[in-house]
Amino acid sequence: MAIENILVIGAGTMGRQIAMSCALGGYATVLQDISEPALAAARTELESWAASRVAKGKLSQDAVDQALGLLSQTADLDAAARDADLVIEAAVERLDIKEEIFARLGKITAAHAILATNSSTLPSSKVAAASGRPAQVCNMHFFNPALVMKCVEIVRNDQTSDATVAAVTEVAQRLNKQPVLVNKEIPGFIANRMMGAINREALNLAQAGIASIVDIDTTARTALGHPMGPFELMDMVGLDVVDFIAQANYAETGNDADLPHPLIVEKVKEGKLGRKSGEGFYPYN
Ligand code: 3HC
């Protein structure tokens, strides 16, 4: 069954850029969110991003017009789900909400539809049963900013079929992304596990007063060739998200190394969540 229509649930930072990536890949894409203001904000941001791509000569006006024409938005999940061949859920990271969404999707989408979650902390096995079609459920984990980052982790659960893996791999390729397959569910998958290890070391170095966060970030950029230092990256991802990922990983592994780092806990307590709150490890205007 060829995938032609994609539904993306959740118009937040990730969902809106995933939806635009799908539209740029030539898929008829519906972005759904229960919040009309979130949908409107997403549309405004994507149109302005598209205009800047044209101004920079990175995309043609035709390509942008075509993508924006393929991208629609609605608050009505039932209507949005009717024609979907693939659903990518990028709603809030709460198991109860995701279970509810997957149970509903199991009823309102066509029987052939594949149901993927963009979650970085909840493996799809947690919502597979609720959907009633576990063989057609997996994680499709995109990275922030999703319009730029190439990697998509495709994580299969015990029941995910080969046909499902093949179909979502093909979609990721058509989005001009680089799919990687995670064969076994593990907290943090591949990328967040590696990022967690780097962040932990960086936080420990700073806490012990070995070097300033500026110098640690500078080292990551100029010695290791990372595009951003770990503190810059944590500020971009959101310190509440970093904290949540650590808590979720610790709940699964019980490994003390996965516990949220005290420096992160302190920042979150102070409401310093990174770029989105105006201050994290660095101040932002
Ligand atoms: N949305 C869309 N496009 C963006 C963007 C955004 N938020 N931020 C930057 N870009 C685009 C710019 O338009 C520019 O495009 P162009 O070169 O084609 O004109 C390009 O990205 C480079 O941007 P800049 O020149 O402004 O800045 P940088 O060269 O520093 O790149 C970056 C910015 C792409 C964010 C780069 O620093 C980077 O790759 N950082 C690491 C990001 C990363 O590690 N992401 C993963 C986070 S972990 C995660 O998402 C998992 C989750 O589960 C928590």
Side-chain angles (χ1 to χ4, degrees):
M1 170 79 205
I3 288 172
E4 287 170 11
N5 297 297
I6 299 182
L7 161 63
V8 178
I9 298 177
T13 311
M14 294 303 290
R16 61 180 66 172
Q17 293 211 359
I18 293 170
M20 187 66 182
S21 301
C22 294
L24 284 165
Y27 292 103
T29 307
V30 183
L31 178 60
Q32 187 275 342
D33 197 292
I34 49 172
S35 159
E36 294 278 7
L39 288 169
R43 186 82 196 185
T44 305
E45 186 187 288
L46 293 174
E47 283 175 358
S48 132
W49 175 85
S52 79
R53 301 312 283 164
V54 174
K56 278 185 179 177
K58 304 265 176 167
L59 282 176
S60 70
Q61 187 65 52
D62 277 358
V64 157
D65 289 346
Q66 198 192 344
L68 289 173
L70 283 169
L71 180 63
S72 60
Q73 62 208 53
T74 180
D76 183 344
L77 181 59
D78 289 17
R82 211 168 293 136
D83 295 329
D85 304 309
L86 167 65
V87 180
I88 304 173
E89 172 273 319
V92 63
E93 291 281 77
R94 270 190 38 198
L95 180 58
D96 56 338
I97 291 175
K98 288 186 193 290
E99 270 176 343
E100 204 177 297
I101 291 172
F102 275 75
R104 187 140 161 231
L105 289 173
K107 296 193 181 85
I108 62 178
T109 55
H112 70 264
I114 291 174
L115 311 178
T117 172
N118 175 57
S119 180
S120 61
T121 54
L122 294 164
S124 71
S125 57
K126 303 249 184 207
V127 289
S131 76
R133 61 178 85 148
Q136 288 157 241
V137 176
C138 66
N139 286 73
M140 259 185 113
H141 181 218
F142 292 75
F143 293 85
N144 183 7
L147 279 162
V148 180
M149 305 312 285
K150 284 280 190 194
C151 188
V152 179
E153 289 176 326
I154 293 166
V155 189
R156 64 189 309 165
N157 67 60
D158 278 354
Q159 298 180 72
T160 309
S161 69
D162 290 344
T164 297
V165 169
V168 296
T169 300
E170 198 182 315
V171 170
Q173 283 163 342
R174 201 166 129 192
L175 304 190
N176 199 21
K177 299 290 185 196
Q178 176 60 62
V180 294
L181 180 61
V182 184
N183 280 309
K184 218 170 155 46
E185 289 183 339
I186 178 172
F189 312 143
I190 304 172
N192 282 359
R193 285 190 85 81
M194 294 197 290
M195 187 172 71
I198 292 168
N199 290 350
R200 197 159 46 242
E201 282 305 321
L203 287 158
N204 285 341
L205 288 169
Q207 192 182 32
I210 307 293
S212 68
I213 61 168
V214 172
D215 280 347
I216 296 169
D217 277 347
T218 302
T219 307
R221 276 188 271 99
T222 58
L224 306 176
H226 293 186
M228 285 176 146
F231 295 98
E232 295 165 323
L233 182 57
M234 287 187 274
D235 272 0
M236 188 187 83
V237 168
L239 302 186
D240 53 337
V241 176
V242 174
D243 183 45
F244 180 80
I245 290 173
Q247 285 183 40
N249 289 350
Y250 178 71
E252 288 292 321
T253 64
N255 182 349
D256 283 355
D258 287 329
L259 274 167
H261 195 281
L263 292 185
I264 297 290
V265 174
E266 192 182 304
K267 290 281 179 198
V268 172
K269 214 178 273 172
E270 291 170 353
K272 294 177 180 168
L273 306 182
R275 280 191 195 178
K276 63 184 165 191
S277 73
E279 188 174 347
F281 288 106
Y282 295 98
Y284 299 89
N285 292 323

